[in-house]
Amino acid sequence: MKEEPLVPLGVGLTVCALLYAAWGLHYKNIQQAQRGMRGRVIMQGLTVCALVGYGVFKTKDTSQTGQTNMRPINWDKLEREAQEAEALDLAKGNVSPAMEKLIAQAKKEREEKAKSVIAKSIFVQEVPEPKK
């Protein structure tokens, strides 16, 4: 909210315009309801413009400095946690048959990948160097 103060303000004004229109509809005041709906559309548009403007501003800011606010992803840790969660679900019996099929397929792909890596390393080791 501190970095993008116009967005919550725009959302609040949009809600106020919607309530104003609903109030007019409730009391059958068509002019008030119409003004409220038009105001809601305008406020919604301004809110979207603020969102886009902040996005463009942030993009330009990060492209000039070269720094981003994103944190690095540790893919090995995520993979390890996913495997632990799969094992825990299997142990508890909380896995559907479709999920069991996907887990079996993933294990098979991992084994094939490991075999190919081992085969490549063995193949590379078995090739004798040419003598000169």
Side-chain angles (χ1 to χ4, degrees):
M1 285 192 28
K2 290 180 182 179
E3 294 178 9
E4 302 169 350
L6 292 179
V7 175
L9 178 67
V11 170
L13 290 174
T14 302
V15 170
C16 289
L18 181 63
L19 292 175
Y20 181 75
W23 188 268
L25 285 173
H26 178 71
Y27 289 107
K28 296 183 175 52
N29 185 347
I30 302 302
Q31 292 296 327
Q32 181 181 348
Q34 188 69 5
R35 282 192 306 266
M37 284 298 168
R38 288 179 182 163
R40 179 194 59 83
V41 170
I42 291 169
M43 291 300 123
Q44 227 171 345
L46 291 174
T47 304
V48 170
C49 288
L51 280 169
V52 171
Y54 283 124
V56 169
F57 176 72
K58 288 282 187 180
T59 304
K60 285 183 180 178
D61 186 39
T62 58
S63 66
Q64 289 173 356
T65 62
Q67 296 177 350
T68 61
N69 293 334
M70 296 187 323
R71 59 188 165 116
I73 298 174
N74 186 347
W75 292 106
D76 294 331
K77 180 182 175 187
L78 287 175
E79 179 70 22
R80 202 170 38 254
E81 289 174 355
Q83 289 173 356
E84 290 171 3
E86 288 173 4
L88 185 62
D89 281 344
L90 282 174
K92 289 183 178 179
N94 295 339
V95 180
S96 67
M99 190 61 153
E100 286 179 0
K101 184 177 177 182
L102 286 173
I103 292 170
Q105 182 181 0
K107 284 182 181 178
K108 183 179 176 184
E109 288 175 2
R110 285 185 203 131
E111 289 172 0
E112 289 175 1
K113 186 177 179 181
K115 286 179 184 177
S116 69
V117 168
I118 291 171
K120 286 179 183 177
S121 66
I122 291 172
F123 178 73
V124 170
Q125 291 174 358
E126 290 179 0
V127 174
E129 292 185 26
K131 296 181 181 179
K132 292 184 179 182

